[in-house]
């Protein structure tokens, strides 16, 4: 497969994964599909899970992946790797995507491990807002009976687990695609063009370069 076509194949899924990441991050600000918790949190009352505020899905898996995806797509516009400069730049853009995806993975994993912020009944048998699973090291994920500890927002554990899991999977896909593009961009930068005509052009450029070098050497010799 031509490296240009491969770049296009990579760019399209990156658009989808970036959109999914942004959507998940935005939805996490509205636990229970209600807006009142975000409003209360803005007033200084902790209602939103801390990891949501790190904006990993919006910034890391979203913007930091979306921009490289656009460049990678534009590089593949001619369906050929003739644009060596574009392919070379795509390596750097893909590296930015890798960093963004890794940030999203880290925050999503942390959000799953610590659990959601919710109204729950504490050890003193009184209800309070907090993060009841923060010291469980993610053990609550396999014990659904503990999920009933959270009284409000309704089904907030399922809500957080579902969205953070989706965010984690999307970020893993983004990481893999951006890493592949770094390798693809390197090959595209080296090969120059695709197909027989492209290779002839590259060979012609190499011959011309060698001839110019030979002339310089001869000139210096005299």
């Amino acid at each position: 497969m031509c490296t240009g076509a491969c770049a296009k194949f990579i760019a399209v899924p990156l658009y989808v994964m970036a959109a999914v990441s942004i959507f998940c991050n935005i939805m996490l600000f509205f636990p229970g599909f209600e807006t009142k918790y975000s409003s209360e949190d803005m007033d200084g009352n902790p209602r939103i899970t801390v990891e949501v505020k790190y904006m990993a899905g919006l910034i890391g898996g979203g913007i930091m992946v979306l921009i490289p995806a656009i460049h990678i797509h534009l590089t593949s516009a001619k369906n050929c790797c003739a644009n060596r400069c574009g392919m070379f730049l795509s390596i750097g853009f893909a590296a930015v995507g890798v960093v963004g995806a890794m940030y999203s993975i880290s925050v999503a994993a942390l959000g799953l491990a610590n659990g959601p912020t919710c109204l729950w009944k504490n050890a003193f048998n009184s209800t309070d807002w907090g993060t009841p699973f923060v010291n469980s090291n993610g053990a609550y994920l396999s014990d659904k009976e503990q999920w009933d500890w959270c009284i409000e927002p309704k089904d907030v554990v399922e809500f957080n687990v579902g969205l953070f899991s989706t965010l984690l999977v999307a970020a893993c896909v983004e990481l893999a695609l951006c890493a592949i593009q770094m390798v693809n961009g390197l090959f595209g930068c080296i090969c120059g063009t695709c197909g027989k005509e492209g290779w002839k052009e590259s060979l012609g450029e190499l011959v011309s370069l060698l001839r110019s070098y030979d002339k310089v050497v001869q000139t210096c010799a005299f």
Side-chain angles (χ1 to χ4, degrees), residues 213-222:
Y213 178 75
D214 184 57
K215 289 180 180 180
V216 172
V217 172
Q218 289 179 1
T219 303
C220 292
F222 291 105

Side-chain angles (χ1 to χ4, degrees), residues 37-84:
Y37 300 110
S38 295
S39 300
E40 292 174 3
D41 191 87
M42 291 178 65
D43 292 334
N45 303 310
R47 299 290 185 270
I48 303 299
T49 304
V50 176
E51 288 76 20
V52 177
K53 301 175 186 177
Y54 295 161
M55 309 289 281
L58 183 61
I59 298 175
I63 296 173
M64 290 182 69
V65 171
L66 186 59
I67 294 175
I70 293 172
H71 176 81
I72 294 168
H73 196 182
L74 291 175
T75 302
S76 67
K78 294 183 179 180
N79 199 36
C80 193
C81 53
N83 187 355
R84 291 183 178 182

Side-chain angles (χ1 to χ4, degrees), residues 25-31 34-42 45-54 115-118 129-131 153 156 159-160:
N25 201 152
I26 292 174
M27 288 305 300
L28 282 165
F29 277 102
F30 306 103
E34 296 186 33
T35 59
K36 67 176 183 178
Y37 300 110
S38 295
S39 300
E40 292 174 3
D41 191 87
M42 291 178 65
N45 303 310
R47 299 290 185 270
I48 303 299
T49 304
V50 176
E51 288 76 20
V52 177
K53 301 175 186 177
Y54 295 161
T117 296
C118 63
W129 284 91
T131 311
V156 67
F159 184 84
N160 267 38

Side-chain angles (χ1 to χ4, degrees), residues 21-212:
S21 296
I22 293 172
F23 174 77
C24 287
N25 201 152
I26 292 174
M27 288 305 300
L28 282 165
F29 277 102
F30 306 103
F33 301 101
E34 296 186 33
T35 59
K36 67 176 183 178
Y37 300 110
S38 295
S39 300
E40 292 174 3
D41 191 87
M42 291 178 65
D43 292 334
N45 303 310
R47 299 290 185 270
I48 303 299
T49 304
V50 176
E51 288 76 20
V52 177
K53 301 175 186 177
Y54 295 161
M55 309 289 281
L58 183 61
I59 298 175
I63 296 173
M64 290 182 69
V65 171
L66 186 59
I67 294 175
I70 293 172
H71 176 81
I72 294 168
H73 196 182
L74 291 175
T75 302
S76 67
K78 294 183 179 180
N79 199 36
C80 193
C81 53
N83 187 355
R84 291 183 178 182
C85 181
M87 279 292 175
F88 177 75
L89 290 175
S90 75
I91 299 173
F93 277 99
V96 173
V98 167
V99 173
M102 290 180 65
Y103 174 58
S104 187
I105 289 172
S106 301
V107 174
L110 191 63
L112 282 172
N114 291 340
T117 296
C118 63
L119 180 67
W120 69 295
K121 187 173 292 187
N122 57 35
F124 300 101
N125 205 32
S126 62
T127 56
D128 190 19
W129 284 91
T131 311
F133 310 117
V134 69
N135 296 318
S136 69
N137 294 321
Y140 78 96
L141 293 170
S142 58
D143 186 0
K144 291 189 177 182
E145 290 185 0
Q146 294 185 29
W147 295 13
D148 294 331
W149 292 4
C150 285
I151 302 171
E152 188 183 351
K154 184 180 179 181
D155 298 327
V156 67
V157 180
E158 293 91 331
F159 184 84
N160 267 38
V161 169
L163 289 174
F164 270 125
S165 296
T166 304
L167 186 59
L168 183 63
V169 172
C172 287
V173 174
E174 290 172 340
L175 178 62
L177 290 173
C178 288
I180 292 172
Q181 177 55 32
M182 291 180 71
V183 177
N184 181 57
L186 180 61
F187 276 106
C189 182
I190 294 173
C191 79
T193 54
C194 300
K196 294 181 179 180
E197 293 183 1
W199 284 109
K200 288 180 180 179
E201 290 178 7
S202 296
L203 184 60
E205 291 177 3
L206 180 60
V207 171
S208 299
L209 183 62
L210 290 173
R211 286 177 178 175
S212 300

